[in-house]
Amino acid sequence: MRAMTETQDDQVHLIRKAIEALEDKLHSPEQKGMVADLVRLLQVEKELTPELPREVRVKWVDSFETASSTKT
């Protein structure tokens, strides 16, 4: 997992503000081209935010049982 730097945090904040502004303007008659801008901003936001692991699976293998079962 990578931590966000202060610069990335600032960039994400600015991108989120721009996304909010575009979302507000989507209902206006002059929305042509704004959807593409919104999609691109959402992609950049996703690229800048760190990914967290969704699921981690762990399997415990007891070395004593494995060693004794292979000897017999």
Side-chain angles (χ1 to χ4, degrees):
M1 177 171 63
R2 61 182 182 149
M4 285 181 51
T5 63
E6 191 171 319
T7 305
Q8 282 179 317
D9 193 35
D10 293 341
Q11 291 172 345
V12 170
H13 179 71
L14 289 173
I15 289 171
R16 287 183 180 155
K17 286 181 74 171
I19 289 170
E20 289 174 7
L22 280 175
E23 286 174 340
D24 290 340
K25 291 180 182 179
L26 276 177
H27 301 289
S28 72
E30 296 129 15
Q31 68 180 0
K32 184 178 180 182
M34 292 173 56
V35 174
D37 294 336
L38 179 62
V39 169
R40 181 62 189 135
L41 283 172
L42 290 169
Q43 287 174 338
V44 171
E45 178 189 28
K46 184 177 179 180
E47 291 170 6
L48 289 175
T49 53
E51 293 183 21
L52 300 175
R54 288 184 248 152
E55 181 178 344
V56 176
R57 292 183 183 208
V58 178
K59 181 178 179 181
W60 181 268
V61 178
D62 192 355
S63 61
F64 178 74
E65 285 182 25
T66 305
S68 65
S69 63
T70 57
K71 290 181 181 180
T72 57

